[in-house]
Amino acid sequence: MKGALKDLNLNIVEMTDENATLDGGDVLFTGREFFVGLSKRTNQRGAEILADAFKDYAVSTVPVLEGLHLKTFCSMGGPGLIVIGSSEPAQKTLKIMQQMSDHRYDKLTVPDDLAANCVYMNLPNKGHVLMHCTPEQYPESVKVFEKLKDHMLIPVPNLEKVKVDGGLTCCSVLINKKANN
């Protein structure tokens, strides 16, 4: 991965503090700020290193009360739109995030926490694109996604990844870089 990122001329920040842990599944970038879930895989020191690397953005920590990490029940569904599971722990975490932020976000609540793990992209010539769970996995949550009329919706099966605690965001590295023509 490091080699691929270097080939793209991207800035790489390495965590050299052996006491720091930071799992990408605990890092939610809203486009305006970062929320970092404190979980079994991410600690306060990891969040501090992220804050040092991205000084132009606010970085707030939130406890992950249940589930593997923050994106187990929460992700971005578009600019200013947080997709959140309906469980009590997910809703409590969202409330904490709202209290910590100076920004106001819209929310899209899905019945199934794991369905909230989706991948948003704003693609040239396509617009708003959202990869999300399939109707076979979470039919009620897909009905909620279908209300996003301005999004191209792409259902992606996740049955195998879930067996090893993986979600759609675990298999995604989004890079905002123009292609060389």
Side-chain angles (χ1 to χ4, degrees):
M1 179 58 82
K2 184 176 178 181
L5 296 175
K6 278 187 174 184
D7 289 346
L8 292 168
N9 295 317
L10 295 174
N11 185 34
I12 298 171
V13 176
E14 294 189 50
M15 290 190 350
T16 56
D17 183 337
E18 60 188 45
N19 295 316
T21 59
L22 183 68
D23 185 303
D26 281 317
V27 180
L28 181 67
F29 181 59
T30 69
R32 297 177 173 179
E33 63 191 315
F34 287 93
F35 291 104
V36 178
L38 299 178
S39 69
K40 294 175 185 162
R41 295 187 175 189
T42 297
N43 63 18
Q44 183 66 39
R45 183 67 188 125
E48 290 166 0
I49 291 171
L50 181 79
D52 287 343
F54 293 95
K55 292 185 185 331
D56 292 341
Y57 295 96
V59 176
S60 301
T61 59
V62 294
V64 175
L65 305 170
E66 203 170 278
L68 186 62
H69 46 64
L70 182 62
K71 289 185 189 171
T72 300
F73 54 80
C74 175
S75 61
M76 295 306 294
L81 177 64
I82 294 177
V83 180
I84 187 80
S86 62
S87 72
E88 185 177 335
Q91 292 296 312
K92 281 183 180 178
T93 299
L94 177 65
K95 187 173 183 177
I96 293 168
M97 291 165 60
Q98 290 170 329
Q99 290 170 347
M100 296 179 126
S101 180
D102 291 334
H103 305 288
R104 291 293 151 244
Y105 297 99
D106 293 324
K107 72 174 181 173
L108 181 70
T109 302
V110 294
D112 308 284
D113 279 6
L114 292 177
N117 183 274
C118 55
V119 177
Y120 169 78
M121 299 168 285
N122 186 3
L123 300 178
N125 304 319
K126 301 279 185 208
H128 301 292
V129 177
L130 189 68
M131 295 190 311
H132 61 85
C133 60
T134 63
E136 293 77 25
Q137 286 177 277
Y138 301 109
E140 296 306 311
S141 290
V142 170
K143 288 178 187 175
V144 175
F145 287 124
E146 289 172 347
K147 294 177 183 176
L148 297 172
K149 298 299 182 194
D150 61 338
H151 285 58
M152 175 189 291
L153 300 175
I154 302 174
V156 178
N158 195 34
L159 292 171
E160 293 303 312
K161 291 181 286 299
V162 168
K163 291 177 185 176
V164 291
D165 295 324
L168 294 177
T169 59
C170 297
C171 301
S172 306
V173 177
L174 302 178
I175 298 171
N176 186 13
K177 187 168 175 79
K178 295 194 186 311
N180 295 331
N181 294 329

